[in-house]
Amino acid sequence: MKAPRFSGPVASPSDPTIEPSPIPATIDTALVFSLMESRERWRRLGRAIFDLLFETDADGALTALVPLNWSGALPSLGTNANAIWDDRTTPFDASIPHIREILPNNVHLCALPYLDPDGLLRGSRGGLLRMPVSLATAMTSNAGILVGRIVLDVFRKTPDTRIACQDALDALRSFFDAHAAILFTDNALGVDAAATGTSRWTLMKTSGPPLDAHLLADFAVFDEPAPCRRVKDASEGVALWLTTPLRAIGELGLFLFRNKPWSDHEIDVAAFALDLMAGFVETDTLHRHILKTLPIDLSSHLLNTRGFLAAVDRRLSRLDQLELPASLMVIRVEGLIDLLNTTDTDRLLSITEQISKLLEKSVRATDAIGRLGVDTFAIWMDSADRFAAAERADRICLHGAPLLLDEPHHLPIRIGVMCRESGVTDDPQELIEHAKRALMRAEDSNRPWQFCHEVP
């Protein structure tokens, strides 16, 4: 089943001359479909997004309800899921995706079907998010649509979310005719931010001239939980302080200071803009966390350094138990960095995929292959002694790395080889260092490959 992509308008504007701007996908639905294979992974993801989680059978009848921040009575299990949002006329269809469906009382529905291993429909897993009335009003107003378009355009055009936050803050300061705009984060977010002298809030981004520290301190030390809205008159103008929760990873605060008072509608629109920014910051933070802990290099689909070290470490105890040797090769594709730097973006993935397939074909299915750097790879071979490693290194260096591009390229390869006997106590990182030193000696002596003569 092909996973559909999230899409949908920001709002339905009352002004027909203003076209709605689509909200970009924050989570790839293919990823969500894979997450739903495990109920625990699905619920862990849902707790960071929704106010209520539910599961149904193939007929749409409720099999599980998990209220998180949901207020109000809940229906009994076995009834159709539409009883949650009190719509008895349209039964819930578990066989189709429900993507950002707007229900009565400003409730948003997202649900996706999940299948058994044979491809048969088992039911649907989804969640409900209740949006405050003030936020819904701000979204559908002309000012809300305009500020939403401004924020979304900034984040679309800027690949780095942290840089986009600065651009969005500059745009908001201009939109609200504010003297200064400051974005705060609490310490739970773990971003690079300047300290404000408080235990809770840190300075993330600023726009405009510096403000009086006492004015900031009056707002930055608030301990009340998000969402929070405060307006305070000062001798130089009127300050607005807004906070919004980042589900599971902290809070975000927005400080705006200008010469004229803030209307209730302007506060709602500013809160809407902050929620949009919070969504991007939250998604970026979770994405960075995933990339940091991921064992796979996304461009080559090989193990990254973290994953390769873990794979080697899992093999060592079995090799010692069976008293078997193993060999490690650290491979450098010479000229790869220069080629990547001078190649169009569309061909970058093709180059790394060709090299990864070349390495995969040169080893056994049981061998571990990893990418340690831009032009550096590693192969771990169980039960391979010095003779098997030498034969494999000869063959790889002989063929090199032929690449089929607009103009064919043939990149030379150098290898550092390290053989490990059973019972050696060096950890995987130390083994890699031994092989890297052998690679450096091969480069210094202009040899295609070199053994590590150090006994680890």
Side-chain angles (χ1 to χ4, degrees):
M1 181 176 181
K2 187 177 180 181
R5 288 196 174 274
F6 284 90
S7 62
V10 173
S12 299
S14 58
D15 186 353
T17 63
I18 301 179
E19 297 180 357
S21 180
I23 295 180
T26 56
I27 300 178
D28 192 332
T29 24
L31 173 61
V32 177
F33 269 93
S34 66
L35 286 171
M36 283 195 301
E37 295 176 0
S38 166
R39 174 178 292 178
E40 182 61 30
R41 288 200 305 265
W42 164 249
R43 290 190 176 182
R44 192 178 305 144
L45 172 68
R47 288 177 186 274
I49 300 175
F50 298 110
D51 294 325
L52 179 142
L53 300 177
F54 68 88
E55 299 177 18
T56 74
D57 59 16
D59 297 324
L62 290 170
T63 58
L65 275 173
V66 184
L68 302 171
N69 299 312
W70 190 265
S71 59
L74 295 175
S76 303
L77 298 182
T79 60
N80 193 272
N82 64 356
I84 306 176
W85 52 90
D86 198 20
D87 180 10
R88 309 286 178 170
T89 59
T90 307
F92 176 77
D93 189 349
S95 65
I96 62 174
H98 300 265
I99 309 301
R100 288 202 193 93
E101 290 187 10
I102 301 179
L103 306 175
N105 299 320
N106 297 317
V107 174
H108 288 221
L109 164 68
C110 287
L112 295 174
Y114 65 99
L115 312 176
D116 63 13
D118 297 327
L120 299 176
L121 178 67
R122 295 179 57 187
S124 180
R125 289 174 178 162
L128 296 176
L129 178 64
R130 178 167 287 162
M131 188 170 296
V133 177
S134 60
L135 181 58
T137 302
M139 288 176 59
T140 55
S141 67
N142 288 339
I145 294 169
L146 182 57
V147 77
R149 177 178 296 173
I150 291 173
V151 173
L152 290 176
D153 285 345
V154 166
F155 280 92
R156 284 197 196 105
K157 296 175 182 178
T158 310
D160 192 315
T161 299
R162 305 296 164 83
I163 299 176
C165 283
Q166 180 65 63
D167 295 339
L169 200 63
D170 294 337
L172 289 179
R173 182 171 70 91
S174 175
F175 180 84
F176 289 108
D177 193 21
H179 180 66
I182 304 176
L183 194 64
F184 288 89
T185 176
D186 70 347
N187 295 327
L189 191 56
V191 300
D192 295 330
T196 59
T198 66
S199 58
R200 178 178 178 185
W201 295 100
T202 55
L203 202 64
M204 186 176 176
K205 300 293 180 182
T206 63
S207 176
L211 293 177
D212 188 353
H214 297 289
L215 181 63
L216 290 176
D218 289 341
F219 289 88
V221 296
F222 288 151
D223 291 329
E224 57 190 279
C228 167
R229 299 184 180 192
R230 282 184 179 265
V231 179
K232 182 177 180 180
D233 293 329
S235 58
E236 302 87 357
V238 184
L240 171 65
W241 168 251
L242 303 169
T243 64
T244 188
L246 297 174
R247 293 175 179 266
I249 56 173
E251 299 178 5
L252 204 65
L254 175 63
F255 180 89
L256 293 167
F257 185 80
R258 69 181 190 182
N259 297 325
K260 55 185 178 181
W262 294 89
S263 67
D264 292 340
H265 181 64
E266 286 177 320
I267 295 175
D268 291 338
V269 171
F272 170 51
L274 178 61
D275 284 340
L276 281 178
M277 295 173 66
F280 283 102
V281 170
E282 181 180 46
T283 303
D284 178 72
T285 304
L286 293 175
H287 184 249
R288 290 172 185 267
H289 175 71
I290 291 173
L291 292 180
K292 185 178 179 180
T293 58
L294 199 67
I296 301 296
D297 175 66
L298 296 181
S299 60
S300 64
H301 304 291
L302 301 176
L303 294 171
N304 58 18
T305 302
R306 175 193 295 270
F308 186 78
L309 290 173
V312 172
D313 188 60
R314 288 192 298 267
R315 298 165 182 243
L316 295 183
S317 59
R318 183 182 64 85
L319 292 172
D320 291 340
Q321 184 179 7
L322 299 177
E323 297 184 352
L324 294 174
S327 294
L328 170 66
M329 294 193 297
V330 173
I331 302 168
R332 177 161 295 150
V333 182
E334 297 187 340
L336 178 59
I337 293 179
D338 294 336
L339 181 60
L340 292 175
N341 291 336
T342 57
T343 303
D344 296 338
T345 305
D346 297 338
R347 296 184 178 88
L348 292 180
L349 288 179
S350 174
I351 294 174
T352 54
E353 287 176 358
Q354 289 186 52
I355 292 178
S356 62
K357 289 179 180 179
L358 177 69
L359 294 178
E360 288 171 350
K361 291 179 180 179
S362 64
V363 297
R364 302 166 297 182
T366 56
D367 295 335
I369 311 175
R371 187 179 188 184
L372 307 183
V374 177
D375 63 342
T376 307
F377 302 82
I379 296 177
W380 177 268
M381 299 174 290
D382 289 342
S383 308
D385 56 15
R386 294 175 63 88
F387 300 102
E391 179 185 1
R392 193 72 54 86
D394 264 333
R395 188 170 65 214
I396 294 176
C397 291
L398 178 64
H399 293 291
L403 300 176
L404 298 178
L405 302 173
D406 292 341
E407 296 181 3
H409 291 74
H410 193 280
L411 303 180
I413 286 178
R414 294 193 192 274
I415 302 176
V417 185
M418 197 285 308
C419 293
R420 176 191 184 272
E421 299 296 331
S422 62
V424 171
T425 58
D426 288 35
D427 61 33
Q429 183 62 55
E430 292 172 321
L431 299 178
I432 288 179
E433 294 302 324
H434 289 306
K436 283 185 175 179
R437 282 194 287 271
L439 173 61
M440 294 174 61
R441 284 197 292 270
E443 293 173 340
D444 294 339
S445 59
N446 198 26
R447 294 183 177 182
W449 62 273
Q450 176 74 48
F451 265 119
C452 173
H453 297 292
E454 305 172 16
V455 180

